Amino acid sequence: MAKIQAIRGMHDILMHDTPRWQFLEESIKAILHQYAYQEIRLPVVEKTELFKRSIGDNTDIVSKEMYSFNDRNETSLTLRPEGTAGCVRAGIEHGLFHNQTQRLWYIGPMFRHERPQKGRQRQFHQIGVEAFGFAGPDIDAEQILMCARLWRALNLSDINLELNSLGTSESRANYRKILVDYFSAHKDQLDDDSLVRLEQNPLRILDSKNPDMKTLIGQSPTLAEHLDTESADHFAGLKAILDSAGIEYQVNPRLVRGLDYYGKTVFEWTTQQLGAQGTVCAGGRYDGLVEQHGASPTAAVGFAMGLERLLELTDFSAMPDKHSPHVYLLLSGDRAVERGLLLAEELRSQSPRLRILSHCGGGSLKSQFKKADKSGAQLAFVLGEDELAQNQVTIKFLRSDEPQTAIKWSEIVHFLTTKLSI
Ligand code: ATP
Ligand code: MG
């Protein structure tokens, strides 16, 4: 029978890798909590209509990357390709935007049917951050400062901030006309994708990843030249805060984002270290989205980081070992197994931070020692008939030359506290 394998672009994260994931996630959560953002947990599946309405019909995500299917009631559902739409849906549904502000974050898998390659999976993971009810540039700055603090915590140095303002929907509409004129005049130089975008969503041509389009895009008119005063003031306000906080950035007048809902501030954090997939974090302002879903207008700004890409960049050399057992308990003989499991229980109750692995499955002491060594444990405790008779364990140091010793059960906790400082 043919073996069933995981779906292309969707990966198992095995136990050797989960400590690094946990370290990364905990580092990020610690910083989110420093800024008093609160966690929200959202379904992985939503109605397809939600994403069509939020992200935009003519975006890559909606037109070709969504995992959509009909459920048994013939309702079209989609595995979420991003988290903002669901967050907005939940906020409206639970009245979270009514006369109040919110600072929220979420974590979880996202699904996009893209061509799998380094830094690009079909199931990938994001931590997303969204703030609702704040119209000014102060909150945009707060989120950028939060990212900068995170990069420092993770020891990332090669990471650069690109900023742009997409203006209000009116200034985008004017700019759209200017862009259509420009690209229509150079139609012969457009690739197939861009020809479709020219008809449907011309701003998205600027986001083309085709190197052949680079020169043409590089000479296109920019929105900066046509920015409305409200957006220009907002942008200036943001830059002033970043300048005084000493945050470096590049204004990239052709930075647009892959989702239609953005306006005013957009930003991306990019690195040279990941090859073509260099964007690790991206976001911006989407003041129109809540209203677009039928609720009162609500200012909003947020961003999402790709955890797979961040994981590639993070320096784990200083990561504490929180997973290997401190103690491997070797058990020889039926009575020792019975007493040993209870002894391990007592030690866990008395010393909650202790990680003790009790040997299961029998076998010779020699084979148990091999497993103890492989487990990464610092210490081996041996409990056999002799030790049982004297209410003690023999202790061997697996990672140092200290001579073996034997101690009474009642002294184990004290011994561990002094030896392992737990
Ligand atoms: P890209 O331009 O790389 O396709 P995007 O603009 O589609 O990214 P967003 O929707 O803004 O990405 O998502 C935010 C972040 O999530 C990205 O900066 C990236 O780090 C990560 N990300 C997006 N798509 C993928 C994917 N298919 N695999 C892994 N990470 C991804
Ligand atoms: Mg993409």
Side-chain angles (χ1 to χ4, degrees):
M1 218 185 342
K3 276 197 202 125
I4 297 176
Q5 295 192 315
I7 295 164
R8 196 163 115 82
M10 303 201 182
H11 301 294
D12 302 307
I13 300 171
L14 297 183
M15 55 285 181
H16 333 288
D17 290 324
T18 47
R20 297 193 308 141
W21 279 84
Q22 290 170 9
F23 176 76
L24 177 64
E25 290 165 10
E26 281 160 21
S27 308
I28 301 172
K29 287 177 195 175
I31 286 173
L32 292 167
H33 289 139
Q34 278 197 292
Y35 289 78
Y37 279 63
Q38 296 176 292
E39 186 185 9
I40 185 164
R41 299 193 181 189
L42 304 160
V44 173
V45 183
E46 298 271 0
K47 291 196 178 139
T48 301
E49 189 54 31
L50 175 73
F51 301 112
K52 288 196 167 175
R53 232 198 270 171
S54 305
I55 301 170
D57 270 333
N58 301 315
T59 59
D60 284 355
I61 295 180
V62 171
S63 63
K64 49 190 189 203
E65 296 174 359
M66 293 210 300
Y67 279 92
S68 302
F69 57 95
N70 282 359
D71 74 0
R72 286 171 194 278
N73 304 324
E74 299 298 316
T75 308
S76 179
L77 304 181
T78 294
L79 296 182
R80 63 178 182 196
E82 54 95 60
T84 303
C87 194
V88 164
R89 196 255 323 127
I92 295 171
E93 197 167 323
H94 300 283
L96 307 183
F97 307 144
H98 194 64
N99 290 333
Q100 53 195 317
T101 57
Q102 299 291 349
R103 287 175 163 91
L104 305 173
W105 66 270
Y106 51 82
I107 179 171
M110 306 293 161
F111 303 85
R112 297 184 194 175
H113 195 276
E114 305 194 67
R115 191 170 70 77
Q117 52 195 291
K118 190 173 174 290
R120 200 174 283 290
Q121 298 80 241
R122 290 180 172 176
Q123 174 174 331
F124 61 100
H125 298 81
Q126 286 184 338
I127 287 186
V129 170
E130 321 283 356
F132 297 94
F134 303 94
D138 45 359
I139 192 91
D140 308 22
E142 174 179 278
Q143 293 191 353
I144 287 171
L145 288 169
M146 186 195 286
C147 293
R149 180 175 296 277
L150 178 63
W151 314 145
R152 289 197 298 276
L154 297 175
N155 239 334
L156 312 190
S157 46
D158 171 26
I159 187 154
N160 301 302
L161 174 62
E162 289 185 23
L163 277 185
N164 193 20
S165 176
L166 296 181
T168 56
S169 51
E170 296 80 51
S171 57
R172 266 196 314 288
N174 289 333
Y175 177 53
R176 188 189 151 107
K177 287 188 202 128
I178 295 164
L179 266 190
V180 170
D181 289 347
Y182 172 79
F183 286 117
S184 301
H186 298 88
K187 227 172 176 171
D188 52 322
Q189 295 173 49
L190 295 180
D191 61 11
D192 290 348
D193 242 10
S194 302
L195 283 169
V196 175
R197 288 172 179 176
L198 182 61
E199 296 297 320
Q200 299 178 339
N201 197 347
L203 255 75
R204 308 258 327 117
I205 298 176
L206 301 178
D207 200 33
S208 165
K209 298 196 169 77
N210 181 355
D212 298 342
M213 296 277 303
K214 222 174 172 168
T215 317
L216 185 66
I217 290 171
Q219 291 167 2
S220 63
T222 68
L223 196 138
E225 301 150 24
H226 309 276
L227 204 59
D228 56 283
T229 46
E230 182 192 334
S231 302
D233 288 350
H234 187 102
F235 200 36
L238 170 61
K239 288 189 286 189
I241 301 174
L242 297 180
D243 289 338
S244 64
I247 302 283
E248 283 177 34
Y249 55 83
Q250 286 266 309
V251 174
N252 173 356
R254 294 187 182 81
L255 178 67
V256 291
R257 307 270 312 109
L259 307 91
D260 276 354
Y261 50 60
Y262 289 110
K264 288 189 181 156
T265 312
V266 286
F267 61 90
E268 287 195 0
W269 293 91
T270 59
T271 174
Q272 299 297 319
Q273 286 174 24
L274 295 178
Q277 267 53 255
T279 307
V280 289
C281 174
R285 185 163 275 282
Y286 52 96
D287 292 341
L289 187 59
V290 174
E291 188 180 16
Q292 204 176 303
H293 283 281
S296 319
T298 305
V301 56
F303 65 87
M305 346 181 210
L307 296 184
E308 279 80 2
R309 294 184 194 176
L310 269 182
L311 203 75
E312 285 281 307
L313 288 182
T314 303
D315 170 12
F316 290 100
S317 57
M319 180 174 84
D321 179 1
K322 288 195 190 165
H323 297 84
S324 316
H326 299 107
V327 173
Y328 193 104
L329 177 61
L330 293 78
L331 302 166
S332 170
D334 289 347
R335 283 196 335 115
V337 168
E338 211 179 293
R339 188 63 193 92
L341 288 182
L342 293 185
L343 176 64
E345 284 301 297
E346 286 158 25
L347 293 175
R348 290 185 189 108
S349 299
Q350 289 168 34
S351 193
R353 279 195 294 275
L354 173 67
R355 296 188 297 273
I356 177 164
L357 194 161
S358 314
H359 182 82
C360 286
S364 67
L365 278 181
K366 190 171 169 213
S367 71
Q368 293 190 32
F369 264 114
K370 271 196 189 149
K371 289 187 171 140
D373 196 44
K374 223 176 142 191
S375 75
Q378 300 291 313
L379 303 170
F381 284 8
V382 184
L383 188 67
E385 289 298 328
D386 293 349
E387 286 87 358
L388 261 184
Q390 299 177 52
N391 291 355
Q392 60 182 30
V393 290
T394 300
I395 297 177
K396 282 202 181 201
F397 294 83
L398 297 173
R399 316 285 152 200
S400 75
D401 298 334
E402 266 188 80
Q404 105 175 30
T405 174
I407 59 169
K408 293 279 181 216
W409 295 342
S410 56
E411 286 158 20
I412 294 178
V413 170
H414 177 69
F415 170 87
L416 289 172
T417 316
T418 47
K419 280 288 172 203
L420 301 173
S421 54
I422 51 168

